[in-house]
Amino acid sequence: MLPKEFKTHLIETSISILWDQWKNLGAWIESGEKFKFYSDPEASVSFSRYFTKYEKRLGKIVEEWIAVNRQHLNVTRLKGISKMFFNKCGISVPIEFKTQIPGKSKFVSTLDVLQPENLLPRLRFLFGCSTKAEVIYHLLTKGSSNSNQIAKERFLNQKAVLIELNKLSRAGFLIEKRTGRERSFSISSDFARVLPKPLFFNTVPWVLLAAAFLLIKCLKDDYLEDEYLIYSAFNDFKKEITSMLFKSMLCEIQLNSRTAEEFYSSVVDYWKCLTKKIVSVK
């Protein structure tokens, strides 16, 4: 796939993912493709504000959704994702938002927390927009983890995560396993029985972050006329690209290529593999 085609594919896929996210979160839209992701309010807000440069309607959806469903938004985590976006991509996305909209919303309804894709909002409905809800969500969908893994995956403060892990463990909701200095936690079978069973295991923030990173750092408009510049940019950011793609999803594609052009081709193959896996058959 040529760089221009790959750039278009990244943009179109990312926007399709965001439309699917917003439909799950209560927007009155036709999303087109269905993806194997749980809804993620903070990722949807943060990345919509970047991808609005390619699809202006996303900005309107963000403002109206926040005005109607602000109680489902974890502002601390929103700041964490926005900070990660700035650190990785060098671009700030606004986290300020309007608290009211004039008249009735034209595009958004109240979020349905019982919809299967809305597992995170459902847990927040039970435990509040808190670190506790994030910890339970992570362990429910990812399995046994330590505080550092949860903090990085959920864009949270590790100390705050560890405090909640200790509380939940003392309450008997979690099982703690120690190996040397390592402490890992998992949900106890008794507690798991009262929680919704997980359906998906994919994580939408890292997929969208990987796409945005490639667009911002490697597939710049002024590079597209010179493939050498494209290949060099991919090679310069090999470590970061590999890390983000692996965090998005594991695919059986090797990314350690000998030349810059081969690495670019392997990234394209990895992204094609990833997008094939995340599309849900209707």
Side-chain angles (χ1 to χ4, degrees):
M1 187 181 291
L2 296 174
K4 285 185 179 179
E5 294 175 293
F6 186 41
K7 180 172 185 175
T8 299
H9 180 61
L10 283 170
I11 293 169
E12 290 178 347
T13 303
S14 299
I15 291 173
S16 293
I17 290 172
L18 286 167
W19 282 137
D20 183 53
Q21 285 282 297
W22 286 121
K23 183 174 183 179
N24 292 336
L25 290 167
W28 295 321
I29 56 172
E30 287 298 326
S31 61
E33 286 186 304
K34 186 69 180 171
F35 294 90
K36 298 174 184 176
F37 290 124
Y38 282 118
S39 64
D40 189 318
E42 293 76 44
S44 299
V45 169
S46 294
F47 291 103
S48 289
R49 282 180 160 165
Y50 167 71
F51 281 100
T52 190
K53 65 184 291 185
Y54 302 109
E55 174 52 85
K56 295 187 182 301
R57 290 179 297 170
L58 287 169
K60 184 65 175 176
I61 293 292
V62 169
E63 295 298 336
E64 292 205 5
W65 187 88
I66 291 173
V68 175
N69 294 292
R70 185 179 178 181
Q71 71 272 24
H72 296 292
L73 190 69
N74 186 326
V75 177
T76 299
R77 184 166 178 266
L78 176 64
K79 291 178 179 178
I81 292 179
S82 298
K83 182 179 179 180
M84 176 64 76
F85 189 82
F86 178 78
N87 290 341
K88 292 288 186 182
C89 301
I91 291 180
S92 297
V93 291
I95 58 173
E96 298 79 17
F97 41 80
K98 298 176 182 177
T99 56
Q100 293 183 338
I101 53 173
K104 186 178 180 181
S105 173
K106 297 179 181 178
F107 305 106
V108 176
S109 64
T110 303
L111 187 154
D112 179 6
V113 296
L114 295 181
Q115 186 173 325
E117 289 81 2
N118 290 333
L119 175 62
L120 180 58
R122 187 175 181 183
L123 292 175
R124 289 176 178 176
F125 206 73
L126 293 171
F127 303 105
C129 280
S130 62
T131 303
K132 184 183 278 84
E134 302 298 322
V135 167
I136 294 171
Y137 173 82
H138 178 92
L139 294 177
L140 190 62
T141 57
K142 297 291 185 179
S144 179
S145 302
N146 60 39
S147 61
N148 184 50
Q149 291 168 332
I150 297 172
K152 286 184 176 180
E153 176 69 27
R154 303 303 302 160
F155 305 94
L156 298 168
N157 177 274
Q158 185 179 355
K159 183 177 180 180
V161 168
L162 184 58
I163 288 172
E164 293 302 331
L165 286 169
N166 287 330
K167 287 180 180 178
L168 289 165
S169 181
R170 289 199 300 269
F173 294 146
L174 303 184
I175 303 298
E176 179 181 348
K177 183 179 179 180
R178 292 178 181 255
T179 306
R181 299 180 64 183
E182 178 75 14
R183 301 172 65 197
S184 61
F185 299 83
S186 58
I187 295 177
S188 71
S189 57
D190 289 339
F191 188 36
R193 289 193 190 100
V194 303
L195 295 172
K197 292 184 179 180
L199 301 174
F200 313 121
F201 300 93
N202 304 325
T203 174
V204 71
W206 288 104
V207 173
L208 293 173
L209 183 61
F213 184 91
L214 292 172
L215 291 169
I216 294 166
K217 296 292 187 179
C218 303
L219 293 166
K220 299 179 181 180
D221 288 338
D222 53 350
Y223 285 5
L224 292 179
E225 300 304 321
D226 189 338
E227 290 186 352
Y228 174 79
L229 294 176
I230 295 287
Y231 300 150
S232 296
F234 272 77
N235 201 50
D236 289 343
F237 295 108
K238 179 182 288 188
K239 183 177 179 180
E240 293 89 340
I241 293 169
T242 300
S243 175
M244 282 186 277
L245 288 176
F246 284 173
K247 288 177 180 177
S248 299
M249 181 184 295
L250 293 179
C251 291
E252 295 179 358
I253 303 291
Q254 295 296 321
L255 291 175
N256 294 321
S257 302
R258 291 173 297 174
T259 67
E261 184 176 356
E262 286 178 349
F263 179 68
Y264 164 80
S265 296
S266 69
V267 171
V268 173
D269 290 341
Y270 199 101
W271 183 262
K272 288 161 66 176
C273 170
L274 185 154
T275 51
K276 184 178 180 179
K277 283 188 172 185
I278 63 177
V279 173
S280 179
V281 178
K282 292 188 176 181

